[in-house]
Amino acid sequence: MAQDGFRDRVRTWLADNLPPELRGLGGPGREHEAFDERVEWERRLAAAGWTCVGWPSEHGGQGATLDQQVVFHEEYARAGAPARVSHLAQELLGPTLIAFGTPEQRERFLPPIVAVEELWCQGYSEPGAGSDLAAVSTTATLEGDEWVLHGQKVWTSLAHVADWCFVLARTEPGSKRHKGLSYLLVPMRQPGVEVRPIRQLTGTSEFNEVFFDGARTAKDLVVGEPGEGWRVAMGTLAFERGVATLGQQVGFRRELEELTRIAPDDPVIAERIDRAWVGLEVMRAQAIRTLGDSSPGVAEVSKLVWANWHRDLGELAMLVRGARGMLAEDGLDAWQSLFLFTRADTIYGGSNEIQRNVVAERVLGLPREVRP
């Protein structure tokens, strides 16, 4: 019953405080929408204690249980509240610092994350190291009391508005694959950092290329020990696919409900919609069943399920729209943007091919794919 009380608190606060003009704004492919207003909204959440709800109270959170975190994300999505601008900091970096950071790093970085005073981006993927993250070639060399970075990152979400970036870089010359990597905290607003937006099919540019050409960060801003970056980076990825995915599924349900309302009376389309509803229920059941489960393959299966389901929803939207869906006279409408952006769902965050290889090799014990 305590969970019911928590749900009532979340629902009541959102009903009393969420500005109607922000409902439904932001998210993948739409991060440009009312960005400054969404930052201010998130700071309002912070003032009321609704950021980082799952963090321990000593680090500024509410110490919410897994069930309560699920409730919060579900109610947030049901209210139509806007996409979070500080997701990477609150859901990925913060828990990483709590698990692996020094007391000084936590004291410096956690309070501004809770208060939404500093925004973060993630410096993992590179042109030659996308889903194969261990192929990272960006280097960081220790010169006196600073690390000096050289290299390129790509598909860096919200780098153009970020104050800081958590960067996986090679700090041991001659090292290969998982060895010799370090996890660095790098300020973005400095000489030696260049951000170039990447224009997408939707016409928006929330992804970026980031070039480090002599960028610097302090010696003590390495999370974990130098050379242990792979372990820390994998910890971050484990946090990435947590309870927030259940809130994501509420958004998927809203999209499917809206599509169902405009669908024509056609048996083929009706069957596709029914299959989508069943898929969504299976997705939710799987997410609840595996909450907190860090077993090999769990995160990869989750990514495969939701990414393919959402891509198929985009295709279903085009089927529902019919010939009208091929016209974009005054720019893309919401369904066209959904269709185009969901093509990327099966690529970013680990492509389908890589996820299947992980499951095959590490869970099913099948022979490793031949690699050059």
Side-chain angles (χ1 to χ4, degrees):
M1 300 308 293
Q3 182 175 313
D4 292 338
F6 183 80
R7 186 180 296 276
D8 289 341
R9 282 177 52 211
V10 176
R11 186 176 294 175
T12 299
W13 191 90
L14 288 168
D16 291 342
N17 290 275
L18 176 60
E21 64 272 16
L22 293 184
R23 294 181 190 277
L25 296 183
R30 300 167 56 196
E31 291 290 2
H32 60 287
E33 295 178 341
F35 188 84
D36 291 340
E37 291 82 357
R38 286 161 52 212
V39 171
E40 289 306 313
W41 156 248
E42 209 154 319
R43 288 173 179 164
R44 189 171 178 181
L45 284 172
W50 292 118
T51 54
C52 310
V53 293
W55 291 14
S57 56
E58 63 265 30
H59 296 305
Q62 289 195 25
T65 65
L66 269 179
D67 287 343
Q68 289 174 327
Q69 293 175 60
V70 169
V71 165
F72 175 80
H73 287 292
E74 287 184 336
E75 290 301 323
Y76 189 90
R78 285 197 180 102
R84 305 289 287 272
V85 299
S86 190
H87 172 82
L88 290 171
Q90 294 182 33
E91 303 296 337
L92 276 68
L93 179 65
T96 300
L97 290 178
I98 291 170
F100 300 101
T102 64
E104 293 77 15
Q105 289 169 350
R106 296 188 198 111
E107 183 179 359
R108 163 61 184 86
F109 291 109
L110 294 184
I113 292 175
V114 173
V116 197
E117 293 173 351
E118 293 178 338
L119 301 181
W120 287 78
C121 59
Q122 180 180 23
Y124 276 18
S125 294
E126 298 180 3
S131 294
D132 184 15
L133 186 59
V136 160
S137 62
T138 292
T139 62
T141 304
L142 193 58
E143 295 183 3
D145 292 331
E146 293 182 312
W147 296 97
V148 182
L149 285 84
H150 292 274
Q152 178 187 358
K153 298 294 181 178
V154 74
W155 312 123
T156 313
S157 298
L158 300 181
H160 57 295
V161 294
D163 302 296
W164 288 82
C165 183
F166 47 101
V167 178
L168 190 62
R170 196 163 296 282
T171 53
E172 295 180 9
S175 62
K176 295 182 179 180
R177 304 298 297 167
H178 312 88
K179 306 294 185 180
L181 298 172
S182 296
Y183 191 108
L184 302 172
L185 309 179
V186 181
M188 292 291 288
R189 306 183 191 282
Q190 61 162 312
V193 176
E194 180 184 358
V195 179
R196 298 180 189 172
I198 299 173
R199 184 177 174 86
Q200 300 152 197
L201 280 172
T202 54
T204 56
S205 301
E206 67 195 53
F207 295 140
N208 304 269
E209 295 177 286
V210 178
F211 296 86
F212 297 110
D213 185 13
R216 294 173 176 267
T217 194
K219 177 181 179 180
D220 60 355
L221 293 187
V222 55
V223 182
E225 294 297 323
E228 291 186 356
W230 184 257
R231 180 174 69 94
V232 180
M234 292 303 98
T236 298
L237 292 180
F239 294 124
E240 183 176 18
R241 293 163 189 170
V243 295
T245 58
L246 284 156
Q248 175 194 52
Q249 291 170 25
V250 174
F252 290 170
R253 185 177 299 276
R254 186 165 56 245
E255 291 172 342
L256 182 54
E257 288 172 348
E258 294 172 359
L259 188 61
T260 301
R261 281 195 288 269
I262 66 170
D265 185 11
D266 179 283
V268 173
I269 292 177
E271 181 184 1
R272 290 279 298 273
I273 288 175
D274 288 345
R275 288 181 180 274
W277 280 108
V278 171
L280 190 58
E281 292 300 320
V282 170
M283 192 191 313
R284 175 175 169 75
Q286 166 72 0
I288 291 175
R289 186 178 68 85
T290 58
L291 267 183
D293 186 349
S294 58
S295 302
V298 170
E300 288 76 16
V301 169
S302 173
K303 172 61 167 59
L304 281 167
V305 170
W306 76 253
N308 286 281
W309 185 93
H310 204 214
R311 177 202 59 196
D312 292 347
L313 182 69
E315 295 178 353
L316 178 56
M318 291 298 96
L319 180 63
V320 168
R321 293 292 310 284
R324 290 174 301 150
M326 294 187 287
L327 299 175
E329 297 175 326
D330 298 314
L332 299 174
D333 63 29
W335 298 115
Q336 291 166 331
S337 292
L338 176 73
F339 168 73
L340 291 173
F341 197 87
T342 54
R343 315 310 295 173
D345 283 345
T346 59
I347 301 172
Y348 70 76
S351 69
N352 276 2
E353 292 78 9
I354 294 297
Q355 305 299 330
R356 290 184 177 120
N357 278 354
V358 171
V359 173
E361 296 171 6
R362 301 181 189 174
V363 181
L364 302 179
L366 297 178
R368 284 174 61 84
E369 182 183 41
V370 176
R371 290 169 170 81

